[in-house]
Amino acid sequence: MTEAMFGTGNDQWVCPNDRQLALRAKLQTGWSVHTFCTDRQRKSQMLEQQEMENILSVIRRAEELEQIEQLRIGRLVERLDNMRKSVLGNGRSQCLLCGEVLGLLGTPSVFCQDCCKKVCTKCGIEPQSSQKRTQWLCKICSEHREVTSTLGTLDFSLLYDQENNALHCTINKAKGLKPMDHNGLSDPYVKLHLLPGASKANKLRTKTLRNTLNPIWSETLTYYGITDEDMVRKTLRISVCDEDKFRHNEFIGETRIPLKKLKPNQTKNFYNCLEKHNFVTPLKRNDKSLEERGRIMISLKYSSQKSGLVVGIVRCAHLAAMDANGFSDPYVKTYLKPDENKKSKHKTAVKKKTLNPEFNEEFFYEIKYADLSKKTLEVTVWDYDIGKSNDFIGGVSLGISANGERLKHWFDCLKNKDKKIERWHTLTNELPGTTFND
């Protein structure tokens, strides 16, 4: 490959060829050299044979050290797996590793600060720490730290806003990430997934920071429509990846936080070591998450001044993807039934290519307050398609015949005139007694 020269006069510079780029990456000497030399001057500045041999020996040595490090990590992983398989105790009345009885009449014990299990002093390790209070690790957790420390650490915080049904994840920074590019650096970004759930609507990500192993994002990502039930049964997967423009993005490491660890309205800070892939057990057929088609936030208010019901369609979250591009073009329809004259239909605007649309639209139904108890509000979410039938995503029914949170929402509206009541509701595949036809 010939060298490409840029610039004029004394400001010329040359882009090295592929082999020179590889050498410069290993030696960390930069990517280009400035030159305005003649061919004779350039030849006089060429490296001698001995200098080339010295450079190549440094590169070979670096490659050998890298290979040795990979072998060492492989042995650590194998030893860690063997230790986990050979545990003999319960970690409470017995040493987790060797199974010896602990307590006043038994062997002295220490408490592992990572796994919160008890081990005897022979199976515990006292890591060096600047803290005055002694903190112990069991041998398994000590080995685990050794293995995961090569991938880096992630500093983040989580907050469950119970009143607004929102989960806020603030990605602060990472430290000591594994280099993924030829220049010895990475272009890292962070992805979030709520598990179980494979929908693209569960995926959020930060911006990408270029050429760094110690990125600082200070970025907050928010999941809306999170319920107390979600906080009990769902897990947040946080992955750090390296972005590549011309190839597939590369996985660096991840950490997983069961949401049940969080307390409502209290920020919890984490400083976790990144781990390698941790595959999830396949979902069972009867898993409730398979039935969900997303969430919708609806507001209800009976206006005494206008003598009617005001229905607000605020937003949707985690909608099912209906199009080949992995997204949907959602809109919402509302009916107040029974509707003999078929005049109660209202429809929002269509939001393109999104699984988390914001509508913020209100519809008015003129109706006497006493008649509300005989009515049912049906809300359906659709995917708009040009030239063919629109796809049904999901629906929800609110009224006296409903149950659970849907019934409670309706009752709260009836009991609190002129007050807007907002609630999140889970969309289902069908509404009882209703045939969907757009």
Side-chain angles (χ1 to χ4, degrees):
M1 178 179 175
T2 60
E3 295 176 341
M5 297 186 66
F6 303 88
T8 58
N10 293 341
D11 197 32
Q12 283 186 325
W13 62 279
V14 66
C15 180
N17 59 35
D18 291 344
R19 187 168 179 276
Q20 289 172 329
L21 286 173
L23 289 172
R24 288 177 175 276
K26 293 289 186 181
L27 299 175
Q28 298 183 355
T29 57
W31 292 109
S32 66
V33 291
H34 283 78
T35 178
F36 52 90
C37 302
T38 63
D39 290 340
R40 182 182 299 177
Q41 289 172 319
R42 194 181 305 175
K43 289 180 181 178
S44 67
Q45 292 177 357
M46 290 179 63
L47 294 176
E48 296 179 358
Q49 185 64 31
Q50 182 61 43
E51 292 174 321
M52 288 295 297
E53 289 178 0
N54 290 339
I55 292 174
L56 292 174
S57 66
V58 171
I59 294 175
R60 283 194 295 267
R61 178 60 178 164
E63 291 174 343
E64 289 172 1
L65 290 174
E66 186 176 349
Q67 188 174 9
I68 291 172
E69 178 65 11
Q70 292 300 322
L71 291 173
R72 184 185 74 86
I73 293 173
R75 289 194 296 268
L76 285 174
V77 171
E78 184 178 1
R79 186 166 67 180
L80 180 60
D81 290 339
N82 291 335
M83 290 176 65
R84 284 172 170 163
K85 293 175 183 176
S86 60
V87 294
L88 299 175
N90 56 23
R92 298 186 298 275
S93 59
Q94 301 171 312
C95 173
L96 178 67
L97 277 75
C98 67
E100 287 190 10
V101 178
L102 306 174
L104 295 175
L105 303 177
T107 305
S109 65
V110 292
F111 194 77
C112 175
Q113 63 174 339
D114 280 8
C115 68
C116 300
K117 301 288 185 180
K118 288 184 179 180
V119 293
C120 65
T121 52
K122 291 184 295 183
C123 295
I125 294 176
E126 184 180 357
Q128 293 182 352
S129 175
S130 59
Q131 298 180 3
K132 294 181 179 180
R133 183 181 177 183
T134 302
Q135 294 182 324
W136 287 77
L137 294 174
C138 68
K139 289 183 178 179
I140 292 178
C141 291
S142 177
E143 294 283 343
H144 178 76
R145 282 193 178 188
E146 180 71 15
V147 172
T148 57
S149 62
T150 58
L151 299 178
T153 56
L154 183 65
D155 181 349
F156 62 98
S157 63
L158 298 176
L159 169 64
Y160 172 47
D161 184 350
Q162 190 175 42
E163 181 179 354
N164 295 310
N165 297 104
L167 175 66
H168 304 288
C169 180
T170 300
I171 306 297
N172 296 318
K173 60 185 177 180
K175 187 176 181 180
L177 294 181
K178 181 180 178 182
M180 304 300 288
D181 297 337
H182 293 301
N183 61 0
L185 300 172
S186 294
D187 301 320
Y189 66 93
V190 178
K191 286 192 305 184
L192 305 183
H193 287 90
L194 271 180
L195 305 175
S199 170
K200 277 193 175 183
N202 278 326
K203 174 183 169 183
L204 300 175
R205 63 163 286 177
T206 67
K207 59 189 175 186
T208 300
L209 300 181
R210 302 290 176 186
N211 297 326
T212 177
L213 299 180
N214 301 286
I216 300 176
W217 287 283
S218 299
E219 192 171 341
T220 299
L221 306 174
T222 301
Y223 283 104
Y224 294 100
I226 302 298
T227 63
D228 291 343
E229 182 184 0
D230 291 328
M231 297 300 294
V232 172
R233 67 185 183 90
K234 293 209 170 189
T235 296
L236 180 65
R237 178 194 181 198
I238 306 178
S239 309
V240 181
C241 301
D242 169 60
E243 184 177 287
D244 282 316
K245 289 185 177 180
F246 305 108
R247 298 182 297 169
H248 291 297
N249 295 343
E250 296 180 284
F251 173 85
I252 297 178
E254 69 170 38
T255 184
R256 300 193 180 202
I257 306 297
L259 297 186
K260 61 185 178 182
K261 286 187 174 183
L262 305 180
K263 294 181 179 179
N265 307 315
Q266 292 186 19
T267 300
K268 186 167 184 178
N269 299 312
F270 296 86
Y271 191 76
N272 288 12
C273 293
L274 296 175
E275 303 177 17
K276 294 182 179 180
H277 281 293
N278 181 13
F279 296 102
V280 187
T281 305
L283 295 174
K284 298 179 181 179
R285 287 286 180 183
N286 59 355
D287 195 299
K288 184 176 179 181
S289 65
L290 295 179
E291 302 170 7
E292 295 182 5
R293 311 303 298 273
R295 304 276 172 79
I296 184 169
M297 176 181 270
I298 301 171
S299 68
L300 298 177
K301 181 180 78 170
Y302 185 81
S303 174
S304 301
Q305 185 178 4
K306 296 182 179 180
S307 297
L309 178 67
V310 181
V311 177
I313 304 299
V314 184
R315 70 196 312 165
C316 294
H318 323 322
L319 294 180
M322 307 303 288
D323 296 336
N325 60 7
F327 292 97
S328 294
D329 301 321
Y331 66 95
V332 180
K333 293 194 306 179
T334 65
Y335 291 92
L336 193 61
K337 295 189 173 182
D339 181 21
E340 297 177 357
N341 299 323
K342 297 183 179 180
K343 294 182 179 181
S344 69
K345 175 182 173 181
H346 288 288
K347 185 188 295 187
T348 69
V350 176
K351 302 296 181 179
K352 295 290 186 179
K353 291 185 180 180
T354 177
L355 301 177
N356 299 279
E358 290 195 33
F359 296 101
N360 295 315
E361 295 189 37
E362 289 187 342
F363 306 124
F364 179 73
Y365 292 101
E366 187 175 349
I367 184 175
K368 294 179 180 179
Y369 177 76
D371 293 339
L372 271 183
S373 60
K374 306 172 187 176
K375 295 287 186 177
T376 297
L377 178 68
E378 291 182 357
V379 181
T380 55
V381 184
W382 299 80
D383 168 53
Y384 177 75
D385 286 317
I386 300 175
K388 58 180 181 178
S389 298
N390 297 332
D391 298 316
F392 171 67
I393 296 178
V396 64
S397 174
L398 288 78
I400 297 299
S401 58
N403 52 42
E405 198 64 31
R406 294 167 293 170
L407 177 61
K408 185 176 183 298
H409 193 182
W410 193 255
F411 268 134
D412 287 345
C413 173
L414 295 179
K415 289 189 297 182
N416 299 277
K417 286 184 180 181
D418 301 310
K419 181 180 179 181
K420 182 185 290 188
I421 310 292
E422 288 185 347
R423 293 281 190 279
W424 280 98
H425 297 283
T426 299
L427 299 173
T428 56
N429 292 327
E430 57 181 342
L431 288 174
T434 302
T435 301
F436 291 113
N437 184 9
D438 199 43

